[in-house]
Amino acid sequence: MRAGRFLPGLAALFLLVFLLTPDSFAFLFRPLTRNNAPAIYHQTALLRLTVSHLSIVAIAVIASGLVGIVLGILVTRPRGREFLPLARSVTAIGQTFPPVAVLALAVPVMGFGTAPTLVALFLYGLLPVFENTLAGLTDQPAEILEAARGMGLTPLQRLWHVELPLALPLIISGIRLTAVISLGTATIGSTVAAPTLGEVIIAGLLSSNTAYVAQGGLVVSILAVLIHHGLSAAETNAARAAGRVG
Amino acid sequence: MMLRPATVFAILVGLGLWLPLVQFKPNRIAAGEGIRLDQALAGGPVIALAVLGLLVLSCIWRMPDRMRIVLALAGMAGSLVVLGHAARSLSVEAGNLARLAPASGFWLMLLGFSLMLADGVARLGPSLPARWLILGLVLVAGFGILASGMLDQISVMREYATRRAAFLHEAKRHLQLAFGSLGLALLVGLPLGTGIYMMRRLRGPVLAALNILQTIPSLALFGIMLPLLAWLAATLPAAGRWGVSGIGAFPALIALFLYALLPVVSNTLSGLETVPRATREAAVGLGMTRWQVLGQVLIPLALPSLIAALRIVLVQNIGLAVIAGLIGGGGFGTFVFQGLNQMAMDLVLLGTLPTIALALLAGIVLDLLIEHVARGRP
Amino acid sequence: MIELQDLTRMFDGQPVVRDVSLTVEAGEIVTLVGTSGSGKTTLIRMINRLVEPSSGRVLIEGLDAASLPVHQLRRRIGYAIQGIGLFPHRSVAQNIATVPRLLGWPRARIEDRTDELLELFQLDPARFRDRMPHQLSGGQAQRVGTARALAARPDLLLLDEPFGALDPIIRAQAQTDLRAVQRRLGTTMILVTHDIDEAVLLGDRIAVMDAGRIVQYDRVARILAHPETDFVRAMTGGPEGVFRLLSLVAAAEIAEPGEAPGPPVDAATNLREVLSLCLSSGREALPLRSGGRVTLAAIRALAGRGGQ
Ligand SMILES: Nc1ncnc2c1ncn2[C@@H]1O[C@H](COP(=O)(O)OP(=O)(O)OP(=O)(O)O)[C@@H](O)[C@H]1O
Ligand SMILES: [Mg+2]
């Protein structure tokens, strides 16, 4: 289990070196090419694609995180309770919408490029955050809230000092889910001309160059594992702070 | 005044009435022009006013939930009918080349009414049979409207009319991909999940491997399958005879299967783990064999969790099967990516709308099934 | 007859049960008492081989338990578990029918047997047959668990703290019921408990267990009167010890001719109750329904002799 602790660090290091000097890893991908096709994608620098991939995902996740949390809070306040049943069924139903379909439907409205990808990622990412915020804020032990009220905390203080800290682990796990899904879905954004790592994979598909497919997939996978790992750690910390884990 | 759901629905539908109902293009490539309901139909203004009136009423007076459900259903059907009528009367003026697509106004109205339906159903909490009934009603009405030819002038339906054979073929392929991969995942995932339940030390490695599999972006996983399976078929002639091949639907099937494994395995495991120790020991103590314990006690008790896995996987695979279109695996994705390539949004819709409908239907049906199973349990 | 011969079980190199030999006569109830962790559960689980002995043998009617396929052995031995373990997805009747169904009994016979058992445990079949376990109270669930263990007329019934989770009143009722059922069916039973009063009330014999060994195994009266080790003395004695002794003796056994005031009691009433009645009603003696009387002086004399 000791090795497990260094693995994420090693993966990050490998990724960094690979993105800075992709050509030094050409030997890894050479066996996947045929007819002397290039082993490393060069039309756009992998580093640039990675950065723009990550920025698109980050913008979408931060936006859907903020909106999802705020909506989750609003719907669980006394004045917003009316919307709770609706909110629950919308999240349940909304999550059955295939992300690819959401992306494709955004195109007629927004045209090609980054915009439809952002919108699709935002909309699709909203649901896990919102759902988990809702779960975190509604599944709280009644006696704790009762105690907080008994101590004379105002509703705002209760939210800030009691409800949100208790719900935080679940909220973070919603964000983690959103981030990991978005990271993968963003690759599909390249089918509508968004500058993401999907570009590498699609180039590979079009030219039957497996090396491209593999390196695009590899970079995204490592990113996903790292983000999953980082946010899981944050979740554990939050859970510990909320007294859920020893 | 406090904001109520009814107000939100009213705003959405009202906005929908005010925005263009259909988008009119003189031909396939010309720029479009939005046409509102009141401009599109002779009776349009009257209908719009009547709907507005009802909406205002629904904001002021707290309607019973039943009535709201009926109103929502009528509204959804009505939006479709109005769309069809508008398209028909416009196409008579403009001739055969004209393209009429549903525009933002229509989608907003549909959204408003569907939310109203969802809200009504969630609030009323109807019995299970009643929910099946509502679902059946929506399906019958939907198919009825499609079959009646009312919408035939809408561009998506015209795309459908010219590609009926291809559509049916891809639909079948899409279902084969989604259900085939589900079947495979169950075939492998259930024993695997049960296996790691019994052999604790395998849990970590198996789940870690499946988790990593899950992080590979779908596009790349589908892409890798092509050469991998082609190589497999070439090196192992026996595999080729079993249908392993690097082209067609097979790579897509395997990719979907791999994505489905994690939910099946982890849900099987967590379902089995919810069985109390005392129950398991009682079964063994009463003299059940290993298989009897599994078949008569563990699996029945894990069933809700297993059906939940079924829901996750089926919905996920119906959506992901679209990617198969990108690697020549067929399915509705074929239309989506063709459409994106040719900038033909009607074609994109021809692929996405049935996919969404299928995913929704699968999700709702399995949710209802889960409730059936969950009944009569503590 | 059940014979345990030199049973030993090691867990992680530590003996949890050591060299236990014990013979249980057919039709008797043996209660196994001991502190928590003394190895009681492990010992009885070796009888139906839920735990395999590290060494030693179990003979059932002379037949080595290890020679039978394990599931067949378990179907012949009823087992009511610590924590009941009813199947939550099966009705009361289906739970009780588990072993008969595994044994392939015809349906009609299973139904008769289920109803018979429900009645035996004072559960109205019409009301309880189709209930699900979560619709039962703790006491009812416990009785269904015992009925399930008895369903296929086992040679032997193992009960692991069957009444542990019940409140005192329901527990007393359940104990009386179990005793009555055992008298009716004549089933051999081994019952684990850490309640010495329960052991005295239900057992024909008591085995006292400490740190994996049986420190004394004897008829109830002898254990109470002649504890062989300090541990057994601590277990059975204490300020309550004398009352336990008295609870074993029926009033008729020390009755003497004569009259006494007040309402009479049955000849079978135990002396503990007689004593309690005397003290609470302020009488020096109680009349027996069958004639004669029991005096406080006689009770005191008996207690002084250690119950002999
Ligand atoms: N499967 C096992 N692995 C390791 N140790 C075990 C196992 N089962 C029991 N033990 C140990 O054996 C000892 C005896 O356990 P056992 O369950 O037989 O006690 P018990 O007398 O039934 O206690 P209680 O009255 O609390 O039920 C305990 O110290 C326990 O921790
Ligand atoms: Mg025990």
Side-chain angles (χ1 to χ4, degrees):
Chain A
M1 274 292 83
R2 283 182 63 84
R5 223 177 304 152
F6 299 111
L7 231 47
L10 280 180
L13 192 69
F14 170 80
L15 185 65
L16 198 68
V17 177
F18 176 67
L19 289 177
L20 288 175
T21 60
D23 285 312
S24 49
F25 291 87
F27 71 93
L28 264 181
F29 295 98
R30 180 89 53 217
L32 297 175
T33 60
R34 272 182 305 177
N35 310 331
N36 275 331
I40 299 291
Y41 186 76
H42 277 301
Q43 274 82 327
T44 321
L46 283 175
L47 185 62
R48 246 185 69 198
L49 283 178
T50 307
V51 170
S52 80
H53 189 115
L54 278 179
S55 337
I56 290 176
V57 171
I59 293 172
V61 170
I62 289 172
S64 47
L66 284 178
V67 175
I69 293 172
V70 169
L71 281 181
I73 292 175
L74 287 181
V75 164
T76 48
R77 298 308 96 188
R79 305 181 121 246
R81 286 267 165 187
E82 279 275 304
F83 285 88
L84 198 55
L86 176 67
R88 285 189 203 281
S89 49
V90 166
T91 41
I93 296 172
Q95 269 165 343
T96 62
F97 272 63
V100 200
V102 178
L103 186 68
L105 286 182
V107 172
V109 188
M110 331 240 359
F112 284 86
T114 309
T117 311
L118 272 176
V119 169
L121 291 184
F122 166 73
L123 284 179
Y124 202 74
L126 214 51
L127 298 173
V129 181
F130 179 66
E131 186 177 36
N132 279 25
T133 307
L134 214 57
L137 287 175
T138 49
D139 287 353
Q140 299 191 341
E143 63 270 18
I144 293 183
L145 299 184
E146 214 41 19
R149 196 157 45 214
M151 284 185 280
L153 270 65
T154 65
L156 212 63
Q157 287 170 329
R158 285 204 299 270
L159 175 68
W160 188 251
H161 292 293
V162 182
E163 295 181 52
L164 278 180
L166 284 180
L168 198 59
L170 261 179
I171 296 178
I172 295 180
S173 110
I175 294 177
R176 172 169 56 95
L177 216 61
T178 290
V180 172
I181 295 176
S182 300
L183 218 54
T185 309
T187 56
I188 305 174
S190 289
T191 58
V192 297
T196 74
L197 287 161
E199 188 183 315
V200 186
I201 302 173
I202 290 175
L205 288 176
L206 293 179
S207 61
S208 293
N209 187 343
T210 311
Y212 289 178
V213 176
Q215 61 203 255
L218 185 71
V219 174
V220 178
S221 293
I222 295 181
L223 288 175
V225 170
L226 290 177
I227 288 180
H228 177 95
H229 183 82
L231 287 175
S232 294
E235 192 183 326
T236 315
N237 278 342
R240 197 164 291 146
R244 298 253 163 114
V245 179
Chain B
M1 197 186 91
M2 219 161 87
L3 190 65
R4 290 202 293 123
T7 322
V8 174
F9 309 144
I11 292 174
L12 282 174
V13 176
L15 217 59
L17 287 169
W18 180 64
L19 286 170
L21 174 74
V22 283
Q23 195 194 37
F24 174 81
K25 289 193 214 169
N27 55 56
R28 202 177 174 183
I29 38 178
E33 170 201 1
I35 299 181
R36 284 203 311 267
L37 170 62
D38 51 321
Q39 304 161 327
L41 272 180
V46 183
I47 299 176
L49 278 180
V51 174
L52 270 180
L54 264 178
L55 289 174
V56 171
L57 179 70
S58 80
C59 292
I60 305 171
W61 173 54
R62 204 178 259 264
M63 275 187 205
D65 293 321
R66 262 168 232 280
M67 197 163 150
R68 229 174 325 162
I69 292 175
V70 173
L71 187 69
L73 286 171
M76 288 165 76
S79 315
L80 281 168
V81 171
V82 165
L83 175 72
H85 265 290
R88 200 180 303 172
S89 62
L90 284 170
S91 71
V92 173
E93 296 165 29
N96 237 346
L97 278 179
R99 293 246 146 194
L100 293 152
S104 49
F106 167 78
W107 294 120
L108 275 181
M109 280 201 282
L110 199 63
L111 177 69
F113 284 122
S114 341
L115 288 179
M116 191 188 279
L117 178 66
D119 185 44
V121 171
R123 248 166 231 283
L124 185 63
S127 64
L128 276 176
R131 268 186 269 181
W132 284 111
L133 191 74
I134 294 177
L135 178 64
L137 222 62
V138 172
L139 283 180
V140 168
F143 272 107
I145 289 176
L146 285 180
S148 69
M150 215 180 283
L151 297 179
D152 282 356
Q153 292 307 319
I154 301 295
S155 49
V156 192
M157 291 306 284
R158 287 179 57 183
E159 292 285 354
Y160 167 71
T162 57
R163 298 164 200 262
R164 191 185 309 251
F167 181 85
L168 293 179
H169 177 259
E170 301 301 358
K172 198 173 121 203
R173 174 56 62 79
H174 202 98
L175 290 176
Q176 281 170 344
L177 282 174
F179 281 94
S181 56
L182 171 67
L184 276 181
L186 292 180
L187 219 61
V188 176
L190 291 180
L192 193 58
T194 316
I196 59 173
Y197 170 72
M198 301 214 221
M199 281 169 280
R200 208 166 258 281
R201 70 181 54 190
L202 290 183
R203 270 181 214 187
V206 169
L207 289 179
L210 292 179
N211 264 313
I212 292 211
L213 209 58
Q214 209 77 1
T215 65
I216 304 177
S218 46
L219 216 53
L221 190 65
F222 277 75
I224 300 243
M225 281 303 132
L226 298 180
L228 192 67
L229 293 174
W231 173 80
L232 206 65
T235 36
L236 291 173
R241 249 179 283 126
W242 278 77
V244 172
S245 122
I247 50 170
F250 193 77
L253 189 73
I254 297 301
L256 289 175
F257 154 73
L258 289 176
Y259 274 121
L261 266 184
L262 178 67
V264 173
V265 171
S266 64
N267 272 43
T268 307
L269 181 64
S270 64
L272 290 173
E273 283 199 311
T274 57
V275 179
R277 197 185 143 95
T279 307
R280 221 175 51 223
E281 293 202 333
V284 179
L286 288 171
M288 288 189 179
T289 62
R290 210 174 237 270
W291 292 109
Q292 283 167 336
V293 176
L294 194 65
Q296 296 185 22
V297 179
L298 293 179
I299 291 189
L301 286 175
L303 201 60
S305 189
L306 296 182
I307 299 189
L310 217 66
R311 180 198 192 273
I312 298 173
V313 169
L314 195 57
V315 169
Q316 169 186 299
N317 281 9
I318 288 175
L320 275 179
V322 171
I323 311 275
L326 206 61
I327 58 162
F332 290 131
T334 316
F335 300 126
V336 176
F337 291 112
Q338 251 177 40
L340 286 176
N341 269 339
Q342 305 168 5
M343 306 256 222
M345 291 311 148
D346 304 327
L347 205 51
V348 173
L349 282 185
L350 185 64
T352 43
L353 292 182
T355 310
I356 291 176
L358 262 183
L360 269 179
L361 184 64
I364 294 174
V365 165
L366 283 167
D367 277 342
L368 288 176
L369 280 183
I370 289 173
E371 287 204 29
H372 273 291
V373 174
R375 266 177 160 200
R377 282 173 195 257
Chain C
M1 194 172 77
I2 317 295
E3 286 170 82
L4 313 186
Q5 298 180 342
D6 299 323
L7 279 181
T8 296
R9 170 70 206 201
M10 317 283 286
F11 275 126
D12 311 322
Q14 294 289 323
V16 166
V17 171
R18 319 182 204 195
D19 282 330
V20 168
S21 297
L22 196 74
T23 304
V24 182
E25 300 295 339
E28 280 195 348
I29 300 188
V30 168
T31 48
L32 194 56
V33 283
T35 45
S36 188
S38 56
K40 308 179 294 292
T41 298
T42 307
L43 178 60
I44 66 161
R45 283 159 71 96
M46 281 193 278
I47 299 175
N48 65 1
R49 287 173 60 197
L50 279 173
V51 171
E52 290 289 347
S54 301
S55 64
R57 296 200 302 168
V58 175
L59 300 181
I60 298 176
E61 311 297 344
L63 183 70
D64 191 340
S67 67
L68 280 174
V70 69
H71 58 273
Q72 279 177 22
L73 172 77
R74 289 179 190 149
R75 289 171 195 178
R76 292 175 51 178
I77 301 177
Y79 180 47
I81 197 174
Q82 202 168 357
I84 305 177
L86 290 184
F87 300 137
H89 61 305
R90 292 189 171 172
S91 69
V92 165
Q94 287 169 331
N95 261 290
I96 296 179
T98 306
V99 183
R101 271 193 4 207
L102 292 174
L103 293 171
W105 287 18
R107 176 192 291 265
R109 186 169 165 213
I110 293 181
E111 278 171 16
D112 289 348
R113 179 69 177 157
T114 311
D115 286 357
E116 179 192 344
L117 281 164
L118 281 172
E119 270 164 18
L120 211 52
F121 282 95
Q122 325 230 353
L123 297 165
D124 177 13
R127 275 179 55 211
F128 284 94
R129 205 186 284 129
D130 296 321
R131 288 225 192 149
M132 299 305 279
H134 69 273
Q135 298 167 317
L136 300 176
S137 75
Q140 289 161 351
Q142 189 282 321
R143 279 179 272 169
V144 173
T146 315
R148 178 175 72 175
L150 281 168
R153 303 185 186 284
D155 307 328
L156 169 66
L157 178 61
L158 305 174
L159 298 141
D160 195 351
E161 292 183 39
F163 311 122
L166 305 184
D167 68 63
I169 293 177
I170 303 283
R171 180 186 313 178
Q173 178 65 42
Q175 289 165 342
T176 331
D177 284 355
L178 183 73
R179 189 77 234 198
V181 169
Q182 197 267 345
R183 292 267 146 77
R184 277 268 310 265
L185 304 178
T187 314
T188 314
M189 296 187 184
I190 300 179
L191 183 145
V192 170
T193 174
H194 26 222
D195 176 2
I196 185 71
D197 286 314
E198 183 169 287
V200 169
L201 179 71
L202 293 175
D204 293 305
R205 291 169 199 270
I206 296 182
V208 181
M209 217 171 158
D210 180 27
R213 290 183 201 280
I214 301 277
V215 286
Q216 190 173 359
Y217 176 48
D218 227 324
R219 301 205 76 83
V220 176
R222 273 197 65 80
I223 289 245
L224 291 181
H226 301 287
E228 275 170 16
T229 68
D230 289 344
F231 179 79
V232 180
R233 189 169 300 119
M235 201 79 204
T236 59
E240 299 264 332
V242 64
F243 297 116
R244 291 190 188 108
L245 267 172
L246 291 177
S247 74
L248 295 174
V249 184
E253 290 180 37
I254 58 163
E256 56 189 62
E259 302 284 314
V265 295
D266 264 348
T269 314
N270 72 51
L271 291 182
R272 184 179 189 162
E273 284 177 43
V274 173
L275 175 64
S276 168
L277 277 172
C278 282
L279 295 178
S280 60
S281 62
R283 288 179 281 176
E284 283 294 320
L286 297 187
L288 290 187
R289 213 162 263 139
S290 51
R293 62 177 185 177
V294 184
T295 63
L296 260 186
I299 296 177
R300 200 178 296 125
L302 179 85
R305 293 195 307 273
Q308 303 295 292

